[in-house]
Short mmCIF file of all heavy atoms in Angstrom, two decimals:
data_model
loop_
_atom_site.label_atom_id
_atom_site.label_comp_id
_atom_site.label_asym_id
_atom_site.label_seq_id
_atom_site.Cartn_x
_atom_site.Cartn_y
_atom_site.Cartn_z
N MET A 1086 80.88 96.78 154.09
CA MET A 1086 81.67 97.73 154.80
C MET A 1086 80.74 98.84 155.27
O MET A 1086 79.88 99.29 154.54
CB MET A 1086 82.77 98.28 153.89
CG MET A 1086 83.59 99.33 154.54
SD MET A 1086 85.07 99.92 153.64
CE MET A 1086 84.57 99.96 151.96
N LEU A 1087 80.94 99.27 156.48
CA LEU A 1087 80.18 100.36 157.09
C LEU A 1087 81.13 101.53 157.25
O LEU A 1087 82.22 101.37 157.81
CB LEU A 1087 79.64 99.91 158.44
CG LEU A 1087 78.79 100.88 159.24
CD1 LEU A 1087 77.51 101.21 158.49
CD2 LEU A 1087 78.45 100.28 160.59
N HIS A 1088 80.77 102.69 156.72
CA HIS A 1088 81.67 103.84 156.83
C HIS A 1088 80.89 105.13 157.01
O HIS A 1088 79.74 105.25 156.62
CB HIS A 1088 82.61 103.93 155.63
CG HIS A 1088 81.94 103.71 154.30
ND1 HIS A 1088 81.64 104.74 153.45
CD2 HIS A 1088 81.50 102.59 153.70
CE1 HIS A 1088 81.05 104.25 152.37
NE2 HIS A 1088 80.95 102.96 152.50
N LYS A 1089 81.56 106.12 157.63
CA LYS A 1089 80.95 107.42 157.94
C LYS A 1089 81.57 108.47 157.02
O LYS A 1089 82.76 108.42 156.71
CB LYS A 1089 81.23 107.77 159.40
CG LYS A 1089 80.57 109.04 159.86
CD LYS A 1089 80.86 109.29 161.32
CE LYS A 1089 80.24 110.60 161.75
NZ LYS A 1089 80.67 110.99 163.07
N SER A 1090 80.75 109.43 156.63
CA SER A 1090 81.25 110.52 155.79
C SER A 1090 82.24 111.37 156.58
O SER A 1090 82.18 111.44 157.80
CB SER A 1090 80.10 111.38 155.28
OG SER A 1090 79.47 112.03 156.36
N LYS A 1091 83.15 112.02 155.87
CA LYS A 1091 84.13 112.87 156.52
C LYS A 1091 83.50 114.17 157.01
O LYS A 1091 83.99 114.79 157.93
CB LYS A 1091 85.28 113.18 155.56
CG LYS A 1091 86.13 111.98 155.26
CD LYS A 1091 87.29 112.33 154.38
CE LYS A 1091 88.12 111.09 154.10
NZ LYS A 1091 89.29 111.39 153.29
N VAL A 1092 82.42 114.57 156.37
CA VAL A 1092 81.72 115.79 156.75
C VAL A 1092 80.30 115.42 157.18
O VAL A 1092 79.61 114.67 156.49
CB VAL A 1092 81.66 116.77 155.55
CG1 VAL A 1092 80.86 118.01 155.92
CG2 VAL A 1092 83.05 117.14 155.09
N GLY A 1093 79.88 115.91 158.32
CA GLY A 1093 78.54 115.60 158.80
C GLY A 1093 78.49 114.28 159.53
O GLY A 1093 79.52 113.71 159.91
N ASP A 1094 77.29 113.79 159.71
CA ASP A 1094 77.07 112.55 160.46
C ASP A 1094 76.31 111.55 159.61
O ASP A 1094 75.33 110.95 160.04
CB ASP A 1094 76.31 112.86 161.75
CG ASP A 1094 76.39 111.73 162.75
OD1 ASP A 1094 77.36 110.95 162.70
OD2 ASP A 1094 75.47 111.60 163.58
N ARG A 1095 76.73 111.39 158.36
CA ARG A 1095 76.07 110.46 157.44
C ARG A 1095 76.84 109.15 157.41
O ARG A 1095 78.07 109.13 157.36
CB ARG A 1095 76.00 111.06 156.04
CG ARG A 1095 75.15 112.33 156.01
CD ARG A 1095 75.23 113.03 154.69
NE ARG A 1095 74.69 112.19 153.63
CZ ARG A 1095 74.86 112.44 152.33
NH1 ARG A 1095 75.54 113.49 151.94
NH2 ARG A 1095 74.34 111.62 151.43
N TRP A 1096 76.11 108.04 157.45
CA TRP A 1096 76.69 106.70 157.42
C TRP A 1096 76.28 106.00 156.14
O TRP A 1096 75.16 106.16 155.66
CB TRP A 1096 76.22 105.88 158.61
CG TRP A 1096 76.87 106.28 159.89
CD1 TRP A 1096 76.49 107.28 160.73
CD2 TRP A 1096 78.02 105.68 160.48
NE1 TRP A 1096 77.33 107.34 161.81
CE2 TRP A 1096 78.28 106.37 161.68
CE3 TRP A 1096 78.86 104.63 160.10
CZ2 TRP A 1096 79.34 106.04 162.51
CZ3 TRP A 1096 79.91 104.30 160.93
CH2 TRP A 1096 80.14 104.99 162.12
N PHE A 1097 77.19 105.18 155.61
CA PHE A 1097 76.95 104.45 154.38
C PHE A 1097 77.38 102.99 154.56
O PHE A 1097 78.27 102.69 155.34
CB PHE A 1097 77.75 105.06 153.23
CG PHE A 1097 77.37 106.49 152.95
CD1 PHE A 1097 77.99 107.53 153.62
CD2 PHE A 1097 76.38 106.78 152.04
CE1 PHE A 1097 77.64 108.84 153.38
CE2 PHE A 1097 76.03 108.10 151.79
CZ PHE A 1097 76.66 109.13 152.45
N ALA A 1098 76.75 102.13 153.81
CA ALA A 1098 77.14 100.72 153.77
C ALA A 1098 77.46 100.37 152.32
O ALA A 1098 76.78 100.84 151.40
CB ALA A 1098 76.03 99.82 154.28
N THR A 1099 78.49 99.59 152.13
CA THR A 1099 78.85 99.10 150.81
C THR A 1099 78.85 97.58 150.87
O THR A 1099 79.45 97.00 151.77
CB THR A 1099 80.24 99.61 150.38
OG1 THR A 1099 80.21 101.04 150.38
CG2 THR A 1099 80.60 99.11 148.99
N GLN A 1100 78.16 96.96 149.94
CA GLN A 1100 78.13 95.51 149.87
C GLN A 1100 78.09 95.08 148.42
O GLN A 1100 77.73 95.85 147.54
CB GLN A 1100 76.95 94.94 150.64
CG GLN A 1100 75.60 95.30 150.07
CD GLN A 1100 74.46 94.78 150.93
OE1 GLN A 1100 74.60 94.57 152.12
NE2 GLN A 1100 73.32 94.58 150.31
N VAL A 1101 78.45 93.84 148.18
CA VAL A 1101 78.46 93.29 146.83
C VAL A 1101 77.06 92.80 146.46
O VAL A 1101 76.43 92.08 147.24
CB VAL A 1101 79.47 92.13 146.71
CG1 VAL A 1101 79.40 91.47 145.35
CG2 VAL A 1101 80.87 92.64 147.00
N ASP A 1102 76.60 93.21 145.31
CA ASP A 1102 75.32 92.73 144.79
C ASP A 1102 75.54 91.30 144.31
O ASP A 1102 76.37 91.05 143.43
CB ASP A 1102 74.87 93.61 143.63
CG ASP A 1102 73.52 93.21 143.06
OD1 ASP A 1102 73.19 92.00 143.05
OD2 ASP A 1102 72.80 94.11 142.60
N PRO A 1103 74.81 90.32 144.88
CA PRO A 1103 75.04 88.92 144.51
C PRO A 1103 74.72 88.61 143.04
O PRO A 1103 75.26 87.67 142.48
CB PRO A 1103 74.12 88.14 145.45
CG PRO A 1103 73.18 89.12 146.02
CD PRO A 1103 73.79 90.46 145.89
N GLN A 1104 73.86 89.39 142.42
CA GLN A 1104 73.49 89.14 141.02
C GLN A 1104 74.54 89.66 140.04
O GLN A 1104 74.81 89.03 139.03
CB GLN A 1104 72.14 89.75 140.71
CG GLN A 1104 71.01 89.10 141.47
CD GLN A 1104 69.66 89.72 141.15
OE1 GLN A 1104 69.56 90.68 140.40
NE2 GLN A 1104 68.61 89.17 141.74
N THR A 1105 75.14 90.82 140.36
CA THR A 1105 76.08 91.42 139.41
C THR A 1105 77.54 91.28 139.85
O THR A 1105 78.44 91.43 139.03
CB THR A 1105 75.78 92.92 139.24
OG1 THR A 1105 76.02 93.59 140.49
CG2 THR A 1105 74.36 93.15 138.78
N GLY A 1106 77.76 91.05 141.15
CA GLY A 1106 79.12 90.98 141.66
C GLY A 1106 79.75 92.35 141.85
O GLY A 1106 80.92 92.45 142.19
N GLN A 1107 78.99 93.41 141.61
CA GLN A 1107 79.49 94.78 141.72
C GLN A 1107 79.15 95.35 143.10
O GLN A 1107 78.08 95.07 143.64
CB GLN A 1107 78.88 95.66 140.64
CG GLN A 1107 79.23 95.23 139.23
CD GLN A 1107 80.72 95.34 138.97
OE1 GLN A 1107 81.35 96.34 139.28
NE2 GLN A 1107 81.30 94.27 138.42
N PRO A 1108 80.03 96.20 143.64
CA PRO A 1108 79.72 96.82 144.93
C PRO A 1108 78.62 97.87 144.79
O PRO A 1108 78.54 98.56 143.77
CB PRO A 1108 81.04 97.46 145.35
CG PRO A 1108 81.81 97.62 144.09
CD PRO A 1108 81.35 96.54 143.15
N GLN A 1109 77.78 97.97 145.80
CA GLN A 1109 76.73 98.98 145.86
C GLN A 1109 76.86 99.71 147.18
O GLN A 1109 77.00 99.09 148.23
CB GLN A 1109 75.36 98.34 145.78
CG GLN A 1109 75.02 97.72 144.46
CD GLN A 1109 73.60 97.20 144.42
OE1 GLN A 1109 73.14 96.57 145.37
NE2 GLN A 1109 72.90 97.45 143.33
N THR A 1110 76.78 101.03 147.14
CA THR A 1110 76.84 101.85 148.34
C THR A 1110 75.51 102.54 148.54
O THR A 1110 74.93 103.05 147.58
CB THR A 1110 77.97 102.90 148.23
OG1 THR A 1110 79.21 102.22 148.07
CG2 THR A 1110 78.04 103.77 149.48
N PHE A 1111 75.03 102.54 149.77
CA PHE A 1111 73.77 103.20 150.06
C PHE A 1111 73.85 103.83 151.44
O PHE A 1111 74.59 103.40 152.31
CB PHE A 1111 72.58 102.23 149.96
CG PHE A 1111 72.77 100.94 150.70
CD1 PHE A 1111 72.33 100.80 152.00
CD2 PHE A 1111 73.41 99.87 150.09
CE1 PHE A 1111 72.51 99.61 152.68
CE2 PHE A 1111 73.59 98.68 150.77
CZ PHE A 1111 73.14 98.55 152.07
N GLU A 1112 73.07 104.91 151.62
CA GLU A 1112 73.07 105.63 152.89
C GLU A 1112 72.18 104.91 153.89
O GLU A 1112 71.13 104.37 153.55
CB GLU A 1112 72.57 107.06 152.70
CG GLU A 1112 72.72 107.91 153.94
CD GLU A 1112 72.51 109.39 153.70
OE1 GLU A 1112 72.25 109.79 152.56
OE2 GLU A 1112 72.61 110.13 154.68
N LEU A 1113 72.62 104.93 155.15
CA LEU A 1113 71.87 104.29 156.23
C LEU A 1113 71.20 105.34 157.10
O LEU A 1113 71.74 106.44 157.30
CB LEU A 1113 72.82 103.46 157.10
CG LEU A 1113 73.52 102.31 156.42
CD1 LEU A 1113 74.60 101.75 157.32
CD2 LEU A 1113 72.54 101.24 156.02
N GLN A 1114 70.08 104.99 157.66
CA GLN A 1114 69.39 105.82 158.64
C GLN A 1114 70.03 105.56 160.01
O GLN A 1114 70.60 104.49 160.24
CB GLN A 1114 67.90 105.48 158.68
CG GLN A 1114 67.18 105.75 157.38
CD GLN A 1114 67.26 107.21 156.98
OE1 GLN A 1114 67.05 108.10 157.78
NE2 GLN A 1114 67.59 107.46 155.72
N PRO A 1115 69.95 106.52 160.93
CA PRO A 1115 70.60 106.34 162.25
C PRO A 1115 70.22 105.04 162.95
O PRO A 1115 71.08 104.37 163.54
CB PRO A 1115 70.13 107.56 163.04
CG PRO A 1115 69.89 108.60 162.00
CD PRO A 1115 69.35 107.85 160.80
N TYR A 1116 68.95 104.63 162.90
CA TYR A 1116 68.55 103.39 163.57
C TYR A 1116 69.19 102.17 162.90
O TYR A 1116 69.49 101.18 163.56
CB TYR A 1116 67.03 103.26 163.64
CG TYR A 1116 66.36 102.93 162.32
CD1 TYR A 1116 66.14 101.61 161.95
CD2 TYR A 1116 65.94 103.94 161.45
CE1 TYR A 1116 65.53 101.30 160.74
CE2 TYR A 1116 65.33 103.64 160.25
CZ TYR A 1116 65.13 102.32 159.90
OH TYR A 1116 64.54 102.01 158.70
N GLU A 1117 69.43 102.24 161.59
CA GLU A 1117 70.06 101.13 160.87
C GLU A 1117 71.53 100.99 161.28
O GLU A 1117 72.05 99.87 161.38
CB GLU A 1117 69.95 101.32 159.37
CG GLU A 1117 68.54 101.26 158.84
CD GLU A 1117 68.43 101.63 157.38
OE1 GLU A 1117 68.96 102.69 156.98
OE2 GLU A 1117 67.82 100.85 156.62
N VAL A 1118 72.19 102.12 161.52
CA VAL A 1118 73.60 102.10 161.95
C VAL A 1118 73.70 101.39 163.28
O VAL A 1118 74.54 100.50 163.46
CB VAL A 1118 74.17 103.53 162.04
CG1 VAL A 1118 75.57 103.52 162.62
CG2 VAL A 1118 74.16 104.20 160.68
N LYS A 1119 72.84 101.75 164.22
CA LYS A 1119 72.86 101.12 165.55
C LYS A 1119 72.59 99.63 165.45
O LYS A 1119 73.22 98.82 166.12
CB LYS A 1119 71.84 101.78 166.48
CG LYS A 1119 72.15 103.21 166.80
CD LYS A 1119 73.41 103.33 167.61
CE LYS A 1119 73.69 104.78 167.96
NZ LYS A 1119 75.05 105.00 168.38
N GLN A 1120 71.63 99.24 164.61
CA GLN A 1120 71.31 97.82 164.43
C GLN A 1120 72.51 97.06 163.89
O GLN A 1120 72.84 95.97 164.36
CB GLN A 1120 70.12 97.65 163.49
CG GLN A 1120 68.80 98.03 164.08
CD GLN A 1120 67.66 97.94 163.07
OE1 GLN A 1120 67.87 97.86 161.86
NE2 GLN A 1120 66.43 97.97 163.58
N LEU A 1121 73.18 97.62 162.89
CA LEU A 1121 74.34 96.95 162.30
C LEU A 1121 75.50 96.85 163.28
O LEU A 1121 76.16 95.83 163.37
CB LEU A 1121 74.80 97.68 161.04
CG LEU A 1121 74.01 97.36 159.78
CD1 LEU A 1121 74.44 98.31 158.65
CD2 LEU A 1121 74.21 95.93 159.36
N GLN A 1122 75.74 97.94 164.03
CA GLN A 1122 76.82 97.90 165.01
C GLN A 1122 76.55 96.84 166.08
O GLN A 1122 77.46 96.12 166.48
CB GLN A 1122 76.99 99.28 165.65
CG GLN A 1122 77.59 100.28 164.69
CD GLN A 1122 77.64 101.69 165.25
OE1 GLN A 1122 76.82 102.08 166.07
NE2 GLN A 1122 78.59 102.47 164.78
N THR A 1123 75.31 96.73 166.51
CA THR A 1123 74.95 95.72 167.50
C THR A 1123 75.10 94.32 166.91
O THR A 1123 75.64 93.42 167.55
CB THR A 1123 73.50 95.93 167.97
OG1 THR A 1123 73.40 97.22 168.57
CG2 THR A 1123 73.08 94.87 168.98
N GLN A 1124 74.66 94.15 165.68
CA GLN A 1124 74.73 92.84 165.03
C GLN A 1124 76.17 92.40 164.80
O GLN A 1124 76.49 91.23 164.95
CB GLN A 1124 73.99 92.92 163.68
CG GLN A 1124 73.98 91.63 162.91
CD GLN A 1124 73.23 91.77 161.59
OE1 GLN A 1124 72.55 92.77 161.34
NE2 GLN A 1124 73.36 90.79 160.73
N LEU A 1125 77.05 93.34 164.47
CA LEU A 1125 78.43 93.00 164.15
C LEU A 1125 79.36 92.96 165.36
O LEU A 1125 80.49 92.50 165.25
CB LEU A 1125 78.98 93.99 163.12
CG LEU A 1125 78.33 93.93 161.74
CD1 LEU A 1125 78.82 95.08 160.89
CD2 LEU A 1125 78.62 92.60 161.08
N LYS A 1126 78.89 93.45 166.50
CA LYS A 1126 79.75 93.48 167.69
C LYS A 1126 80.25 92.08 168.03
O LYS A 1126 79.48 91.13 168.10
CB LYS A 1126 78.97 94.06 168.87
CG LYS A 1126 79.83 94.31 170.08
CD LYS A 1126 79.04 95.00 171.17
CE LYS A 1126 79.94 95.30 172.35
NZ LYS A 1126 79.20 96.00 173.39
N GLY A 1127 81.54 91.96 168.19
CA GLY A 1127 82.14 90.67 168.50
C GLY A 1127 82.49 89.84 167.27
O GLY A 1127 83.12 88.80 167.38
N SER A 1128 82.08 90.30 166.11
CA SER A 1128 82.36 89.58 164.87
C SER A 1128 83.81 89.83 164.44
O SER A 1128 84.32 90.93 164.60
CB SER A 1128 81.42 90.06 163.77
OG SER A 1128 81.85 89.60 162.50
N PRO A 1129 84.46 88.82 163.88
CA PRO A 1129 85.83 89.04 163.38
C PRO A 1129 85.84 89.99 162.17
O PRO A 1129 86.89 90.47 161.78
CB PRO A 1129 86.29 87.64 162.98
CG PRO A 1129 85.04 86.87 162.76
CD PRO A 1129 84.02 87.45 163.69
N TYR A 1130 84.68 90.27 161.60
CA TYR A 1130 84.58 91.17 160.45
C TYR A 1130 84.38 92.62 160.87
O TYR A 1130 84.37 93.51 160.04
CB TYR A 1130 83.44 90.74 159.53
CG TYR A 1130 83.64 89.35 159.02
CD1 TYR A 1130 82.88 88.30 159.51
CD2 TYR A 1130 84.60 89.07 158.07
CE1 TYR A 1130 83.06 87.00 159.07
CE2 TYR A 1130 84.81 87.78 157.61
CZ TYR A 1130 84.03 86.75 158.11
OH TYR A 1130 84.22 85.49 157.68
N TRP A 1131 84.19 92.87 162.16
CA TRP A 1131 83.94 94.21 162.66
C TRP A 1131 85.25 94.78 163.19
O TRP A 1131 85.68 94.46 164.28
CB TRP A 1131 82.88 94.16 163.76
CG TRP A 1131 82.51 95.46 164.36
CD1 TRP A 1131 82.63 95.81 165.67
CD2 TRP A 1131 81.91 96.59 163.73
NE1 TRP A 1131 82.16 97.08 165.88
CE2 TRP A 1131 81.72 97.59 164.70
CE3 TRP A 1131 81.53 96.87 162.40
CZ2 TRP A 1131 81.16 98.83 164.41
CZ3 TRP A 1131 80.98 98.09 162.11
CH2 TRP A 1131 80.80 99.05 163.10
N LEU A 1132 85.87 95.63 162.41
CA LEU A 1132 87.15 96.22 162.78
C LEU A 1132 86.99 97.73 162.80
O LEU A 1132 87.08 98.39 161.77
CB LEU A 1132 88.25 95.84 161.78
CG LEU A 1132 88.51 94.34 161.62
CD1 LEU A 1132 89.48 94.09 160.47
CD2 LEU A 1132 89.05 93.76 162.90
N VAL A 1133 86.73 98.29 163.96
CA VAL A 1133 86.53 99.73 164.10
C VAL A 1133 87.84 100.46 163.85
O VAL A 1133 88.85 100.16 164.46
CB VAL A 1133 85.99 100.07 165.50
CG1 VAL A 1133 85.83 101.57 165.65
CG2 VAL A 1133 84.65 99.37 165.73
N GLY A 1134 87.80 101.41 162.92
CA GLY A 1134 88.97 102.23 162.64
C GLY A 1134 90.14 101.48 162.04
O GLY A 1134 91.28 101.90 162.16
N ALA A 1135 89.87 100.37 161.38
CA ALA A 1135 90.95 99.57 160.81
C ALA A 1135 91.60 100.25 159.61
O ALA A 1135 92.73 99.96 159.27
CB ALA A 1135 90.43 98.19 160.40
N GLY A 1136 90.87 101.15 158.96
CA GLY A 1136 91.42 101.85 157.81
C GLY A 1136 91.67 100.96 156.62
O GLY A 1136 92.56 101.19 155.83
N LEU A 1137 90.88 99.92 156.51
CA LEU A 1137 91.05 98.97 155.39
C LEU A 1137 90.40 99.46 154.15
O LEU A 1137 89.46 100.08 154.05
CB LEU A 1137 90.49 97.60 155.76
CG LEU A 1137 91.16 96.95 156.97
CD1 LEU A 1137 90.43 95.65 157.30
CD2 LEU A 1137 92.59 96.69 156.70
#
């Protein structure tokens, strides 16, 4: 999941660690956000503003 902070312009990604099965959240750099948005564009998993 890719999400933006409510305050400021910080972006975070949350994904499941394959070894532990636990979610991990980490901050993304601006260039990483653009790369992910480009990579996910058109994907059925990319739902902008879905609020899920």
Side-chain angles (χ1 to χ4, degrees):
M1086 177 172 38
L1087 181 63
H1088 45 103
K1089 184 178 178 190
S1090 65
K1091 291 183 180 183
V1092 177
D1094 196 26
R1095 297 172 64 193
W1096 285 85
F1097 299 88
T1099 301
Q1100 65 184 26
V1101 175
D1102 182 327
Q1104 294 180 357
T1105 65
Q1107 298 296 313
Q1109 292 184 317
T1110 300
F1111 49 93
E1112 188 168 359
L1113 298 169
Q1114 297 300 314
Y1116 73 91
E1117 294 173 309
V1118 174
K1119 295 293 182 197
Q1120 287 176 345
L1121 279 172
Q1122 289 174 331
T1123 299
Q1124 181 180 349
L1125 293 172
K1126 189 175 182 178
S1128 167
Y1130 300 106
W1131 181 240
L1132 301 172
V1133 178
L1137 299 175

